[in-house]
Structures are given as C-alpha cells and as structure tokens.
C-alpha cells in the first residue's frame, strides 16, 4: 500500500470523451486552469465523486509522465451499476467532475520479467504498467481476453507497442487463453499481474498456487479505507450523564475503552457501518472514521460512531 | 499463494435434518451437538457443510469474497437452479454490484432518517403499551408483535393502505424459501402468486407515498445512483426483510423476558436498559437462525478443506449461544451482559441494513411497557411458529401487572 502520494480533492474538467470500444468510453480529465495534476504511478486509481453517496474507482490508464491529463476508461454496465451508467450519460466534454486521489493499491514492482493477464475493462491499470516496463527494457507479455475484439478497449494501441508480446483472445479469435499452459511453470524471475472479472482472478489464483509467495498481483474491490487519525496519542472522554471521565489510549477505540471501564454501551458491527453505537457529542470535535454519516452530519459534529471514530482534539464530552 | 500443508482432520458428520419439525421447534440441543462435533461439520442429510461455533460463523459472514451471497442465501445454488424470484440486489448479491445498492440503502435508512421517525413511532408505542397494560392479559404475538410494526413500518415505507395483510405472508414466504424443498417451503410457494402480485405492484413508483423510504429509493434512481429497474427490487427488499423480522424480534424479546421474569425486574427498575434487553434477546432467541453462503474458492476452515462451489450453512442462532465466545452461562438470558457483537443481524457487508429501524421500534415499545408494567409472566404454553429460517412463536400468552 502506498501512502506516499498525498491524496487530493480536485475538481477536474472533462477535456475529451471518445468511444474506445463497444460500451467503453475513454474520458480525459484536466485541471480547468491548465495546471499540473498530482503525480501517480502505474496501477493507481482515482475516485470519481458522482453523487453524495456515489463514489466509483477508475484506474488511470494514460501516461504517468504526462502531468497535464488523466485518462480513464468507463465500461457501461446497464445491468448492474449506477456509477458507470451515470458517467456514460452525464460526463460530457467541459463538464466539471469531483475527483479524489490518486491512490495506488496495485503497485508495479520491478522484476526482470512480467506476465500480464487482463480481462475486459481490467486492461486499464495494465496499460501504464506495460508502457513503463517496456520503456525500462524488461521482458513482458500480455494476454488480454474479452467478449469480442470490438469490446476490447485499447487492443490496437497495445498491439502497436509490441505486436509479438500481445496476445488477444475473444470469441472472434481462433485461440482461447490457455491459463494452464501460461502458468504451468513457476518462474522466480516473473511477476504475474492480473486484473479482470472475478472468474478470471480466481482461475489465475488457482493456477498460481504453486508460484512463489507474492508472485501474483491482483486488484480487487476493498471496503472503504480510512487515513491516519487526525490526532495521534491519547485523548479524554467525559460521559456527561454518569460523570465519568476516562482516557482513550492511542490504538484503542472509544467503545473498547468504555467497555473496559464497565460502561454498558450498545454496538454491533464495530467497524463503522451499522450505526448501532451512534452517540451524541455534547462538546469537543470528533474525528469521524465511519462509513455511514453524511458530510453534513460530520460537519454538524453532534453525533458520532464510537466504535471507529475518535477525537480530533484533546477532549470529547459524550451524552452517556 | 503457496499452499501450506494443513493438519489433516476428519470432518465430523451429523445425520440430523436441521429443517425438520423437531429441530425447527427447539434447535438448541442440536446446536450444542453441532458445536461440540467441530468447527466445520458435514450435514449428511443435505450433503453440505455447516458451522455452529461463533468464531467460524463470524469469520465466514465477514469473508464476503470466499463465502459469497450471489449464488443465493438459501440452499438453492443460483449457479445451478433458477431462483424462485428475481434475486435480491442486497441479500443475494456480492460486491462490487452489492456495494452500489447497499450504499443507496445506507443513505436512505440512515441514522438521521431513523431519528426523524422516533417521535411518530413513540406515540404509537406508548398507545399500544397503555392498552396492553390496561388489559392485563394479552397475546404478545397476535396483540402486540404483529400489530405495532404493522402500524409504523408500512407508513415509513409509504405503502398503499390496502393490501397490507400481504406483508406477513410475504415475509414468511421469503424466509421459508431459503430452506430445502420441504413441506414448509412447498406450502409457502403454493400460495405465493397472489402475495407476489401485490408486492410487485406496491414496489412501483406510483404506489409509494411521497417522502417514504420507497419514494426515496425511486429518487435515487432519478439521480442516477441506481438504474430504474433496480428500484422496485430494492423496495421489495424492505418489504421482505423489514416486517417479519421485527415481528419476530418483538415477540422473541417478550417471550425471553416473560420466561425469565427476574430479567423483567431489572428492566422495570431501569427502563433505559430496553435497548440492551432487545440485544440480549436477539442473542438468546435469534429470529433469523440460519443463512447459507456458497464458497467462491477452495478454502481451509480449521483444517477442513471446503471445495469451491459448496453450500455452507451458517447457524447464527447457535453462534449466539456458543459458550466458547459467550462464556459458560451462554444459555442464560442476562440483559446486563455484553451481548454486542452477536450475529443475529448478520455481520460484515451484508449485515441487516434496517438494523437501526428495528432497534428503534423495539426500544420504544419495550421502554413503554417496562415503565408501565412491574411484572410479566407466561399464562400458558407458548406455541412455536415454524419457518425454515426464522425461529419464533405464533402465540405467547402473558399477563402483566401495572406498576
């Protein structure tokens, strides 16, 4: 996990929008005033904030050395998702979009040789990886599968980098991907990067069981992540109803500290998603670390989820 | 990625049918044998895997990547069988698709939205508690548990006034349908058509009153947070999961307290404990007893290698009484115990989205009763209500003594 890149809240302009394949739109984002965008590394993704609660992640698939533009590719999935549908119908050229990031949970490590396996729209994080390793002179090959060539974004661009290193598989191509053959012999000099639908990830994982630990790199959806707490170290919590004041040490939740002190408090998920432990804040500022309260509720600072949220200052007074 | 040589264990097997009348009526003796047999047990009757200990049930509920819901939360494997209805976008879906619909529902059944309902719910809770204490003797199921949620919940959703009598049969149907092809499931499905018709009509935009949860789901579709065809299915989730569960929750809580009158004394002395009493009753007599998951990969659980594509039956009610987690007195009802973290609402990404609403409804009605009644006791033998997923009662006759 890479925390070296500071995460930014940006408002970017859709500078270009073109169709890249069946149901795939490529969207380019720029700073509306022409400034540089934050630096990123291959495998990074950004959050597009499409509505109060609609945040979608897209891998950056352009050139990391070009700081003036970010490129993403969006698959329209009419059967399942709200986000991609909205982007498809609402992100027109010159529109402004809220963006957070970039963030990288799919880091490209250096190796003498790479095996890239991509399925469908999963090609997007692989593209900057390939341009980077190709420029560095590493050995690499890409195996890219999709429903049909027409549905496979960027296949021509990829072929043009190195025709012999790129294999395309689809129903309209003669050969289908031979994962057993590709992954039959574990090689200590090779990293396998795979991105695509769950079925492909599972199939590759099974066949990599005999490969060295860490040889296979995949990217999957992960629950909402929180940054570091606002305040390092302990803080005090005063319970207004019972008159008790206790110290919550660093690394201990308010909930655990209350229970350790014998205060009966209700909780359930203990990860900031269910809302059962919601407690009124009478004074002091909370560092909200839950996945439930809205931005307005956080700003109002009159309630908090004590299982994960902490104090932003030295002291909180709770209605307990 | 490399597979470690796991200790070889022989997975124990039990012959019992957990969906038999005997075990559905009184599951606790079976639960104990299940937990004692091992962390993972084969149920030979259905040729499936089961877990009854807290640690494994809790971990499996949280591991949504391995124990997936998209192949159904019942015995039927949607990869092999056609579901009896279009699958739920919440209960029978996995991330990332599940994340989109779940986020929409979290926004609608939010802490703020639930707080806004408190005052209206409270008036009705006080009224019904007043009536019950005046009567002195009543049936905790027919006179209270089946009445109060149906006064408050359908209005919160914005359902049409006519046809609400379909809500309880639909809930019973949905929860029976998770089970095997037994008499309960067949009988439920046989009567399904008319009920499903009313439910489907009530999920449409034009059927739902402005401002309710249902209308807000449609508003989310208008904003582009959902696809229009997803909206009625999410309204349906409210109707299948929001009524019966609360009815059972209230009835089971009153059953628990009436059969442990010393605990009512504790509650009456401090009615603010109502929230804790409900939580402990959910642990002790869990309305939702079981859910299935399907393995998305081969997985080693405590030495048992479960193959990819296996149905796994998770016994929530058993986990909630596992002495390994709750201590030697796990079978005792104790409203002052730390019951938090029980799995009666599930756990992880699929944990009940309506939890704050259920907690509000029960807190209000139980507080209102606890303030007014100094004693509660059973006046007859409670009559079990059988369902393939839910444990509850069709009758709990009680007497209360006014304070």
């Amino acid at each position: 996990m890479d925390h070296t890149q500071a995460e930014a809240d940006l408002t970017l302009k859709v500078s270009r929008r073109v169709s890249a394949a069946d149901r795939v739109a490529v969207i380019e984002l720029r700073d509306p005033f022409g400034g540089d965008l934050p630096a990123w590394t291959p495998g990074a993704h950004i959050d597009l904030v499409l509505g109060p609660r609609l945040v979608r992640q897209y891998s950056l698939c352009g050139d990391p050395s070009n700081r003036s533009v970010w490129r993403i590719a969006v698959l329209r999935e009419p059967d399942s998702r709200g986000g991609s549908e909205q982007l498809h119908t609402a992100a027109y050229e010159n529109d402004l979009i809220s963006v957070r990031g970039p963030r990288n949970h799919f880091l490209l490590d250096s190796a003498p040789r790479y095996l890239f396996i991509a399925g469908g729209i999963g090609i997007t994080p692989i593209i900057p990886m390939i341009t980077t390793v190709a420029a560095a002179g590493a050995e690499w090959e890409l195996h890219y599968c999709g429903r049909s060539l027409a549905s496979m974004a960027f296949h021509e661009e990829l072929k043009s980098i190195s025709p012999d290193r790129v294999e395309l598989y689809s129903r309209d191509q003669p050969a289908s991907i031979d994962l057993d053959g590709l992954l039959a012999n574990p090689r200590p000099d090779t990293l396998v990067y795979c991105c695509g639908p769950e079925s492909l990830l599972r199939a590759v994982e099974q066949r990599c069981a005999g490969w060295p630990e860490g040889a296979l790199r995949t990217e999957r959806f992960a629950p909402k992540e929180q940054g570091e707490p606002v305040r390092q170290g302990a803080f005090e919590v005063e319970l207004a109803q019972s008159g008790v004041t206790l110290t919550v040490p660093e690394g201990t939740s308010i909930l655990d500290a209350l229970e350790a002190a014998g205060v009966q408090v209700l909780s359930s998920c203990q990860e900031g998603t269910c809302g059962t432990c919601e407690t009124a804040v009478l004074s002091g500022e909370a560092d909200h670390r839950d996945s439930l309260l809205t931005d307005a509720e956080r700003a109002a600072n009159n309630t908090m989820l004590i299982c994960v949220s902490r104090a932003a200052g030295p002291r909180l007074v709770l209605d307990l | 990625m490399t597979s470690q040589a796991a200790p070889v264990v022989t997975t124990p097997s039990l012959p019992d049918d957990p969906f038999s009348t005997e075990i559905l009526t009184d599951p606790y003796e079976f639960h104990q044998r299940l937990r004692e047999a091992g962390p993972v047990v084969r149920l030979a009757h259905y040729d499936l895997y089961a877990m009854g200990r807290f640690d494994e049930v809790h971990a499996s509920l949280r591991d949504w990547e391995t124990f997936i819901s998209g192949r159904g939360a019942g015995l039927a494997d949607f990869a092999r069988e056609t579901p009896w209805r279009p699958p739920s976008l919440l209960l029978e879906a996995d991330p990332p698709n599940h994340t989109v619909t779940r986020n929409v529902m979290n926004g609608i059944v939010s802490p703020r939205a639930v707080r806004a309902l408190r005052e209206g719910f409270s008036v009705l809770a006080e009224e019904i508690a007043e009536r019950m204490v005046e009567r002195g003797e009543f049936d905790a199921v027919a006179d209270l548990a089946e009445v109060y949620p149906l006064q408050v919940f359908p209005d919160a959703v914005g359902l049409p006034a006519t046809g609400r009598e379909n809500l309880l049969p639909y809930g019973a149907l949905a929860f029976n349908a998770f089970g095997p092809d037994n008499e309960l499931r067949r009988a439920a499905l046989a009567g399904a058509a008319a009920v499903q018709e009313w439910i489907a009509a009530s999920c449409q935009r034009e059927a739902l009153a402005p401002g309710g949860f249902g209308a807000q789901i449609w508003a989310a579709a208008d904003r582009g947070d959902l696809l229009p065809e997803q909206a009625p299915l999410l309204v349906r989730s409210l109707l299948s999961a929001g009524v019966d569960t609360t009815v059972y929750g209230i009835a089971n809580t009153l059953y628990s307290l009436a059969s442990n009158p010393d605990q009512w004394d504790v509650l009456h002395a401090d009615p603010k404990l109502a929230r804790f009493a409900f939580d402990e009753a959910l642990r002790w007599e869990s309305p939702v007893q079981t859910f299935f998951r399907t393995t998305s990969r081969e997985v080693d659980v405590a030495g048992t290698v479960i193959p990819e594509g296996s149905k796994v039956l998770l016994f929530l009610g058993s986990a909630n009484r596992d002495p390994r987690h709750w201590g030697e007195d796990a079978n005792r009802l104790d409203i002052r115990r730390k019951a938090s973290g029980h799995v009666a609402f599930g756990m992880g990404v699929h944990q009940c989205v309506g939890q704050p609403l259920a907690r509000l409804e029960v807190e209000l009605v139980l507080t209102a009763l606890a303030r007014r009644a100094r004693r509660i006791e059973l006046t007859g033998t409670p009559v079990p209500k059988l369902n393939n997923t839910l444990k509850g009662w069709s009758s709990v006759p009680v007497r209360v003594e006014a304070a």
Side-chain angles (χ1 to χ4, degrees):
Chain A
M1 203 154 301
D2 183 7
H3 293 296
T4 56
Q5 294 162 337
E7 186 170 326
D9 268 308
L10 306 164
T11 301
L12 301 183
K13 190 174 81 175
V14 176
S15 59
R16 189 156 179 263
R17 176 198 156 114
V18 290
S19 172
D22 280 358
R23 301 196 296 144
V24 178
V26 167
I27 292 174
E28 288 184 1
L29 301 168
R30 289 175 193 267
D31 180 282
F33 305 104
D36 271 0
L37 298 173
W40 60 282
T41 51
H45 69 265
I46 54 173
D47 285 346
L48 295 199
V49 185
L50 302 169
R53 285 175 206 91
L54 186 61
V55 178
R56 300 304 310 243
Q57 279 90 41
Y58 294 95
S59 294
L60 291 170
C61 61
D63 173 4
S65 66
N66 183 347
R67 297 282 300 272
S68 66
V69 60
W70 282 349
R71 182 171 80 158
I72 59 171
V74 183
L75 172 66
R76 182 178 197 153
E77 293 170 283
D79 297 339
S80 52
R81 298 184 180 197
S84 61
E85 181 77 9
Q86 178 165 335
L87 258 190
H88 256 277
T89 50
Y92 294 108
E93 287 180 14
N94 296 320
D95 280 357
L96 294 177
I97 288 190
S98 289
V99 178
R100 286 198 300 249
R103 219 174 292 129
N104 197 337
H105 299 157
F106 196 30
L107 287 175
L108 179 67
D109 281 342
S110 61
R113 186 171 173 274
Y114 297 89
L115 181 55
F116 296 107
I117 301 172
I121 200 69
I123 191 66
T124 49
I126 303 290
I127 292 168
M129 292 186 179
I130 286 178
T131 49
T132 303
V133 306
E139 281 292 309
W140 62 276
E141 54 189 84
L142 166 68
H143 298 267
Y144 178 17
C145 21
R147 279 176 298 107
S148 64
L149 263 192
S151 75
M152 293 165 66
F154 309 111
H155 71 266
E156 285 162 347
E157 177 180 326
L158 288 161
K159 268 284 187 193
S160 74
I161 299 174
S162 179
D164 300 340
R165 295 177 189 269
V166 176
E167 289 294 333
L168 304 175
Y169 310 90
S170 69
R171 291 199 194 122
D172 42 25
Q173 298 288 300
S176 58
I177 189 165
D178 174 20
L179 290 177
D180 288 327
L182 279 175
L183 300 166
N185 300 311
R187 290 182 54 156
D189 64 341
T190 300
L191 289 179
V192 181
Y193 279 84
C194 177
C195 187
E198 190 62 26
S199 53
L200 178 70
L201 294 172
R202 296 274 187 234
V204 170
E205 272 175 356
Q206 280 171 10
R207 288 164 181 83
C208 282
W211 282 61
E213 190 90 44
L216 172 65
R217 310 297 175 87
T218 59
E219 191 178 37
R220 273 207 177 78
F221 163 87
K224 185 166 179 173
E225 294 211 6
Q226 304 286 342
E228 290 294 303
V230 169
R231 177 191 169 78
Q232 304 297 325
F235 54 90
E236 274 193 345
V237 171
E238 180 186 329
L239 310 181
Q241 289 180 33
S242 50
V244 174
T245 297
L246 46 90
T247 301
V248 180
E250 185 172 340
T252 299
S253 70
I254 298 177
L255 179 71
D256 287 344
L258 291 175
E259 285 181 341
V263 182
Q264 193 173 12
V265 268
L266 210 60
S267 70
S268 179
C269 74
Q270 297 167 8
E271 57 183 14
T273 56
C274 78
T276 304
C277 68
E278 186 182 9
T279 302
V281 179
L282 300 177
S283 88
E285 196 193 332
D287 170 15
H288 294 287
R289 306 175 58 73
D290 63 274
S291 309
L292 197 61
L293 298 181
T294 63
D295 289 345
E297 287 167 328
R298 286 160 199 251
N301 193 50
N302 50 24
T303 185
M304 70 185 293
L305 304 188
I306 58 172
C307 65
V308 291
S309 295
R310 309 185 63 78
R315 189 178 172 85
L316 278 176
V317 182
L318 301 179
D319 190 12
L320 279 176
Chain B
M1 280 304 104
T2 47
S3 46
Q4 306 286 323
V8 178
V9 300
T10 309
T11 305
S13 178
L14 291 176
D16 305 72
D17 174 4
F19 300 100
S20 64
T21 302
E22 298 70 40
I23 293 180
L24 290 178
T25 305
D26 182 1
Y28 299 118
E29 183 273 337
F30 168 69
H31 286 172
Q32 188 178 344
R33 282 191 289 117
L34 178 71
R35 290 188 301 260
E36 291 303 317
V40 181
V41 176
R42 293 284 293 171
L43 293 181
H45 191 87
Y46 296 106
D47 194 27
L48 57 79
Y49 293 89
M51 301 181 198
R53 295 186 186 176
F54 182 87
D55 284 352
E56 284 76 22
V57 169
H58 187 263
S60 303
L61 287 169
R62 291 179 51 96
D63 184 359
W64 53 265
E65 292 185 275
T66 306
F67 296 94
I68 62 171
S69 297
R71 286 168 73 168
L75 179 62
D77 181 355
F78 292 177
R80 301 199 175 91
E81 294 173 51
T82 309
W84 68 277
R85 60 173 186 179
S88 162
L89 300 178
L90 292 165
L91 190 73
E92 294 155 340
D94 296 305
N97 295 340
H98 169 268
T99 313
V100 174
T101 46
R102 175 69 193 224
N103 284 346
V104 168
M105 293 305 282
N106 278 348
I108 292 171
V109 191
S110 68
R112 189 170 43 93
V114 171
R115 266 198 301 279
L117 294 171
R118 175 175 281 267
E119 211 172 316
F121 282 19
S122 173
V123 172
L124 293 162
E126 297 290 335
E127 273 176 20
I128 197 164
E130 183 73 34
R131 275 205 311 280
M132 293 303 118
V133 176
E134 264 176 30
R135 277 173 58 171
E137 288 193 21
F138 62 97
D139 190 317
V141 182
D143 299 327
L144 201 163
E146 291 186 350
V147 175
Y148 167 67
L150 284 160
Q151 289 176 331
V152 295
F153 183 77
D155 283 340
V157 177
L159 286 177
T162 54
R164 291 180 179 188
E165 66 279 6
N166 286 298
L167 287 168
L168 288 176
Y170 186 67
L173 162 64
F175 284 103
N176 268 319
F178 292 121
D181 180 26
N182 58 12
E183 189 46 47
L184 282 170
R185 188 173 194 271
R186 282 192 295 270
L189 288 174
V195 174
Q196 280 184 285
E197 192 180 330
W198 182 83
I199 293 286
S202 303
C203 292
Q204 298 306 315
R205 183 198 294 270
E206 55 278 8
L208 295 159
F213 292 132
Q216 290 178 56
I217 290 173
W218 279 97
D222 292 341
R223 284 197 304 274
D225 292 359
L226 289 174
L227 297 175
E229 58 269 32
Q230 293 178 318
L233 285 175
L234 284 185
V235 180
R236 192 193 70 183
S237 288
L238 284 178
L239 306 188
S240 40
V243 187
D244 268 48
T245 48
T246 328
V247 170
Y248 278 67
I250 293 174
N252 290 10
T253 301
L254 290 175
Y255 163 78
S256 303
L257 293 165
S259 52
N260 293 274
D262 61 310
Q263 295 298 304
W264 186 270
D265 297 344
V266 176
L267 176 61
H268 174 66
D270 184 4
K272 282 206 301 295
L273 292 175
R275 303 159 71 220
F276 300 99
F278 177 47
D279 215 33
E280 169 68 348
L282 287 177
R283 181 195 73 80
W284 192 73
E285 179 86 341
S286 307
V288 177
Q289 284 282 312
T290 48
F291 267 128
F292 288 83
R293 295 289 188 261
T294 315
T295 49
S296 63
R297 62 181 176 93
E298 184 182 280
V299 58
D300 181 336
V301 179
T304 291
V305 176
I306 306 177
E308 186 269 327
S310 304
K311 278 284 170 180
V312 180
L313 180 50
L314 304 176
F315 284 85
L316 313 181
S318 168
N320 284 340
R321 286 186 177 219
D322 182 0
R324 292 161 191 80
H325 182 83
W326 303 102
E328 279 313 309
D329 67 345
N331 279 324
R332 192 166 67 84
L333 184 82
D334 174 7
I335 69 171
R336 303 220 72 136
R337 124 180 16 243
K338 177 183 177 295
S340 287
H342 65 69
V343 293
F345 286 111
M347 198 50 75
V349 300
H350 290 284
Q351 195 182 33
C352 174
V353 71
Q355 182 175 176
L357 202 53
R359 289 190 187 276
L360 176 69
E361 288 181 39
V362 184
E363 176 201 331
L364 291 174
V365 80
L366 194 56
T367 308
L369 267 180
R371 263 197 261 105
R372 289 177 173 81
R374 85 169 81 216
R375 254 191 90 69
I376 188 167
E377 62 192 358
L378 294 170
T379 55
T381 309
V383 182
K385 177 154 59 186
L386 297 197
N387 182 288
N388 279 328
T389 302
L390 302 171
K391 170 157 185 14
W393 306 92
S394 59
S395 169
V396 177
V398 295
R399 180 188 301 124
V400 291
E401 191 180 310

